[in-house]
Amino acid sequence: MQLNIITEQLTEAGRKIEHSSFDIVTKEAGEHNYSEQQWHLVRRMIHATADFEFNGLTEFHPLAIEAGIKAINNGCPITADVEMICVGLSKPRLQHFGITTHQFISDDDVITKAKAENTTRAVQAMRKAHSNKLLDGGIIGVGNAPTALLEVKRLIVEEGIKPAIVIGMPVGFVSAKESKDELALIEDIPWIITRGRKGGTTLVVSAIHALLALANSDGA
């Protein structure tokens, strides 16, 4: 799949290395059960981590790719559980689509409420994003905090928020697997997850970059 230079490496040397890496990933990964567009995401995730287990661990809601591309083209805001996701995303690529990023994990009011209500900062950060009207119709990326993803699911089920897509890939040993299993039970909101304990902010960044590239190619 040929993608526009806007969402690729800025130099010819960089593009050559990246394309060669993708070719190696595809060759060494062997068979997979993903569509071409789904594989574009999974391949980039493997490329970012050198972990071929994501060929299989990554799962997609049936409408995930379509919803992700639409959200990108519509310039929907991205809300992340931690700053690392926002920092990792390419600013020029986001600016091309008019996309803003948001995270509230270290805000003073978030910390105060988390202490007062005996919850995590990640829970309160998602509640603040909801109160700021960023989650309805927005892109949500969770790569670190399982409690953030559990709160997103609660907001969907109990308060009726309708994100454009949720990319749920928290890593860890406490509730990481379970939070993703819970999200996968949602039928009417598109999602992308990694099963089990594996995940991380790098994967969320990779998935969003892949969606940016697909959206740019789709609109080229």
Side-chain angles (χ1 to χ4, degrees), residues 86-103:
C86 299
V87 172
L89 290 168
S90 166
K91 288 181 174 57
R93 300 180 194 190
L94 295 174
Q95 289 171 355
H96 175 70
F97 292 97
I99 295 173
T100 56
T101 61
H102 308 268
Q103 60 83 28

Side-chain angles (χ1 to χ4, degrees), residues 8 29 59 84-85 93 121 138:
E8 291 200 64
E59 293 189 15
M84 190 177 295
I85 290 174
R93 300 180 194 190
R121 290 184 297 148

Side-chain angles (χ1 to χ4, degrees), residues 102-123:
H102 308 268
Q103 60 83 28
F104 306 101
I105 194 72
S106 296
D107 287 10
D108 289 341
D109 57 336
V110 165
I111 296 170
T112 298
K113 286 186 177 180
K115 290 178 178 179
E117 298 180 17
N118 194 29
T119 63
T120 67
R121 290 184 297 148
V123 167

